[in-house]
Amino acid sequence: MRTRATKIEGGWSISGTKVWTSNAHRTNYLIALARTAPKEEDRHAGMTQFIVDLSRPGVSVRPIHNLYGGHDFNEVVFDGYFAADDMVMGEPGMGWKLVTSELAFERSGPDRFLSTYQLLCESIRTIGPDPDARAANEIGRFVAHLATLRRMSTSVAGMLERGAQPAVEAALVKDMGTAFEREIPETFRHLIPTEPTLGEGASYAELLGMTMLRAQGFTIRGGTREILRGMIARGLGLR
Ligand SMILES: Cc1cc2nc3c(=O)[nH]c(=O)nc-3n(C[C@H](O)[C@H](O)[C@H](O)COP(=O)(O)OP(=O)(O)OC[C@H]3O[C@@H](n4cnc5c(N)ncnc54)[C@H](O)[C@@H]3O)c2cc1C
C-alpha cells in the first residue's frame, strides 16, 4: 500500500492511486486507507483511514472498463487531496484494525455467495421439472451448498453483531462462497449446452455469457483465494 497521507496544518494531504474501486463513479464519498507513518517492523502499523469527499479538488475518478465492456470500477487518483482532521476515522494509526473489521463484513455477506444465484435459478427453470439423474444431482448439490453457506454467513453476521472479530470465519465464507459462485456457470454450461451471449437480459444464454466473464473476479475482489487460505491456515495454527 503506497498511498500516503502527510500531516499538514488542520489536516492531511493525500497522494497516491487506487485501482479497482467499485462504484466510485456512482458515490459521493469513499473511505481511503493511507500510510501515515513509515513502514516499521510491524508492517500493519502507521496506516490511517480517511473519509474522502469526491466532490472536492485533489481527487479524480477514472473509469476502467471490464471484460464485457461495462463500467463497474475505476482508478481513483489522489493528488494532494486535503482531508481535514475530523475526516480521520478513529485515531491516526489504527487504520489496519479498522480495515480488517470492515473486511469481515465484506467477506461474509450474501454478495459473497449469491453473485451467480440468478443463473442458478434460470438454469433450474431451463432444465424444467424432469431433470435427468446428472442434472438432479448437480441441482441438489448446489441447493444444499447454498443452504449451508447461508447458515455460515448469518452465523458470522451474528458474531459481528455481538462485537466479535470473526476475520478467519469470514475468510472461510468468502473462500467457500466464491468457489460456489464460480462453479455454477462451469457446471451448467456443460449441462445445458447453449452459445453464451452478451447482454443485460435475463435469458439463460445472456446470464451464462455475462456470468462467465464476471466470475473471474469473484475469487479476487475482497481478497484473493490464496491470501484467504493463508489467513485460515494461520487462524487454525497451521502456519
Ligand atoms: C471486480 C473487482 C472489484 C474490486 N473492487 C474493489 C473496491 O471496491 N475497493 C477496493 O479497495 N478494492 C477493490 N478491488 C481490489 C481487490 O481487493 C484486489 O484486487 C485484491 O485484493 C487482490 O489484490 P491485488 O490486486 O493487489 O493482487 P495481489 O495481492 O498482487 O495478488 C496477485 C496474485 O498473487 C497471489 N498472491 C499475492 N500474495 C500472495 C501470497 N503471500 N501467497 C500466495 N499467493 C499470493 C494472489 O492470490 C493473486 O493470485 C476489486 C477487485 C476486483 C477484481
Side-chain angles (χ1 to χ4, degrees):
M1 202 199 68
R2 289 193 290 266
T3 296
R4 288 189 173 275
T6 311
K7 189 74 189 91
I8 54 174
E9 180 71 32
W12 301 78
S13 173
I14 306 178
S15 290
T17 303
K18 166 69 196 171
V19 261
W20 316 130
T21 310
S22 301
N23 295 316
H25 58 304
R26 300 190 177 107
T27 57
N28 303 111
Y29 294 89
L30 55 77
I31 296 172
L33 178 69
R35 182 158 285 289
T36 44
K39 213 179 198 173
E40 310 258 326
E41 232 162 69
D42 175 3
R43 64 197 176 102
H44 295 148
M47 296 182 203
T48 305
Q49 281 197 334
F50 298 90
I51 297 175
V52 171
D53 179 348
L54 288 168
S55 70
R56 291 175 54 86
V59 58
S60 55
V61 174
R62 300 176 186 167
I64 298 176
H65 294 281
N66 53 30
L67 268 179
Y68 55 90
H71 179 195
D72 287 338
F73 46 50
N74 310 271
E75 180 179 56
V76 178
V77 180
F78 298 90
D79 184 12
Y81 174 85
F82 175 74
D85 281 326
D86 61 0
M87 289 292 127
V88 170
M89 289 181 61
E91 297 295 328
M94 68 183 291
W96 186 253
K97 187 168 187 289
L98 289 174
V99 91
T100 47
S101 337
E102 289 155 11
L103 282 170
F105 280 93
E106 171 168 358
R107 289 177 174 155
S108 63
D111 43 344
R112 293 297 170 252
F113 60 95
L114 290 180
S115 308
T116 54
Y117 179 72
Q118 207 186 349
L119 177 65
L120 174 64
C121 294
E122 187 55 24
S123 302
I124 295 172
R125 202 192 61 74
T126 305
I127 288 170
D130 295 311
D132 63 20
R134 187 165 155 240
N137 185 47
E138 295 293 16
I139 293 169
R141 194 168 61 83
F142 280 129
V143 172
H145 282 193
L146 182 60
T148 309
L149 282 163
R150 187 178 178 283
R151 288 286 295 269
M152 289 171 69
S153 172
T154 52
S155 170
V156 176
M159 292 179 199
L160 288 165
E161 183 75 18
R162 292 192 293 277
Q165 301 254 325
V168 173
E169 292 85 345
L172 201 59
V173 174
K174 200 214 165 220
D175 185 39
M176 295 180 70
T178 53
F180 168 80
E181 289 176 331
R182 286 191 60 162
E183 221 191 324
I184 288 173
E186 269 312 300
T187 301
F188 285 108
R189 82 189 174 90
H190 294 297
L191 278 179
I192 316 170
T194 304
E195 189 66 33
T197 56
L198 290 187
E200 298 288 345
S203 71
Y204 173 74
E206 278 174 308
L207 286 171
L208 181 65
M210 296 302 276
T211 307
M212 281 170 64
L213 294 183
R214 289 187 119 118
Q216 310 305 319
F218 297 164
T219 46
I220 301 173
R221 63 182 186 189
T224 67
R225 184 181 267 173
E226 291 78 11
I227 296 290
L228 296 177
R229 290 183 181 177
M231 287 175 58
I232 295 164
R234 195 182 303 120
L236 294 175
L238 299 173
R239 67 181 265 251

